[in-house]
Each structure stands twice: as C-alpha cells, then as structure tokens.
C-alpha cells in the first residue's frame, strides 16, 4: 500500500511539472526543419548550392574557375575567392563574388574581355577580374568539376 501511495504522488508531481513547463514554455520544441534553408529558387545553401542566373539552375559556384584575391593569391580560404561559370558558347561569364550576389559579364567577340558595368574579365595566364582598372581577382584558369543537381561531377557515374 505504501508503494502504491508513493507511485500515485510521484505521478501527480510529474504532471504538475509537465503543466508548469507547458505554461511557461520552459522547453520549447525545436522548430528547425532539416533542409529548410532553400532560397527563393529552391537551392540548398547548406549543401553549397546557389542560383545561377546564367545557367538557370542551382549550381555549386565553387566548382567553377577559382580566382584568388589579387592581393593574396596564395590564400587557401575558399570563402575569400571568386568563382566563374561560363555558358556553353563562352560569350557570357557569371562571376560569384564572396558575400555578394552574382553578375553576368558579356563578351562581344572572341579575344575580347567579358564586360559588365565597371568589371572586366580578361584571359591573361588564366583569368583576371578587373574593377575600375584595378585587378581584384586572379586565377590560373583551373576548372573544378561543375556539379548541378547531384553530388556526382558531370561525366562520372
């Protein structure tokens, strides 16, 4: 009988704690939904995807041509780098700068620079991105694996 009384009291005590927790919201439920970091175009930023205005799809910009800051060309910090993706014809280039939206440069003919506003992208021992006449990013032209919609590089199964 004594054991039954202790059990009954402890259950009531747990109910009182549970009601107090609900009333004062002491332990709110986690409202984070996995995969809820999609942007307005449905790209998952946590998986490294961003929207490409040029390709009209989610891409991993860091799989394009990497350009390092001109003042620190040996940096290994990829978050400081710019990346370039080209369209199939090669007359347009989309540049992804750190902490900014991308923009598209256009080339009028073969051998000419790609231009947008105050930016120019030229081929010179790789690529150089110039703003207002000053080199701001440079790279050797090494192309990473362009990944779109999957984690497998194109051409690999």
């Amino acid at each position: 009988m004594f054991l039954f009384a202790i059990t009954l009291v402890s259950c009531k005590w747990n109910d009182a704690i549970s009601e107090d927790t609900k009333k004062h919201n002491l332990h709110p439920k986690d409202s984070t939904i996995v995969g809820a970091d999609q942007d307005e175009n449905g790209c998952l930023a946590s998986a490294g995807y961003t929207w490409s205005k040029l390709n009209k799809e989610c891409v991993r910009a860091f799989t394009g041509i990497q350009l390092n800051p001109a003042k620190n060309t040996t940096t290994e910090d990829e978050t400081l780098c710019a990346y370039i993706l080209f369209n199939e014809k090669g007359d347009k280039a989309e540049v992804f700068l750190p902490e900014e939206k991308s923009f598209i440069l256009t080339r009028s003919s073969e051998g000419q620079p790609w231009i947008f506003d105050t930016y120019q992208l030229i081929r010179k021992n790789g690529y150089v991105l110039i703003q207002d006449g000053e080199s701001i990013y440079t790279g050797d032209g090494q192309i990473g694996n362009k990944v779109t919609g999957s984690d497998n590089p194109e051409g690999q199964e």
Side-chain angles (χ1 to χ4, degrees):
M1 184 66 153
F2 179 71
L3 184 57
F4 177 72
I6 290 177
T7 305
L8 185 60
V9 171
S10 67
C11 287
K12 290 290 183 190
W13 186 71
N14 283 338
D15 286 345
I17 290 174
S18 179
E19 288 301 318
D20 193 46
T21 299
K22 288 178 190 174
K23 182 177 176 182
H24 297 290
N25 199 21
L26 297 175
H27 300 285
K29 290 184 179 179
D30 185 8
S31 61
T32 303
I33 299 171
V34 176
D37 67 331
Q38 291 182 345
D39 67 12
E40 63 273 7
N41 296 297
C43 302
L44 287 174
S46 63
Y49 289 95
T50 189
W51 183 253
S52 170
K53 298 171 194 169
L54 184 62
N55 295 312
K56 307 274 189 274
E57 63 184 346
C58 297
V59 298
R60 288 183 168 165
F62 57 85
T63 62
I65 295 172
Q66 180 176 325
L67 301 178
N68 294 328
K71 294 179 181 172
N72 186 7
T73 58
T74 60
T75 185
E76 291 187 20
D77 185 351
E78 294 175 351
T79 63
L80 299 177
C81 298
Y83 296 90
I84 306 169
L85 296 176
F86 291 95
N87 67 346
E88 287 184 26
K89 289 174 48 178
D91 62 339
K92 295 186 186 289
E94 186 169 10
V95 175
F96 296 85
L97 295 178
E99 306 294 325
E100 294 182 34
K101 298 271 186 190
S102 67
F103 54 90
I104 298 174
L105 299 104
T106 305
R107 180 170 68 172
S108 59
S109 63
E110 186 74 30
Q112 296 297 311
W114 293 264
I115 299 172
F116 171 73
D117 198 25
T118 61
Y119 292 96
Q120 285 189 14
L121 179 65
I122 60 171
R123 288 195 74 144
K124 183 178 179 183
N125 299 326
Y127 292 93
V128 178
L129 183 63
I130 299 169
Q131 183 180 27
D132 295 323
E134 182 181 338
S135 296
I136 57 172
Y137 288 95
T138 64
D140 59 10
Q142 293 297 314
I143 299 173
N145 294 324
K146 179 181 173 197
V147 179
T148 57
S150 78
D151 287 334
N152 294 327
E154 287 183 2
Q156 295 182 6
E157 295 298 323

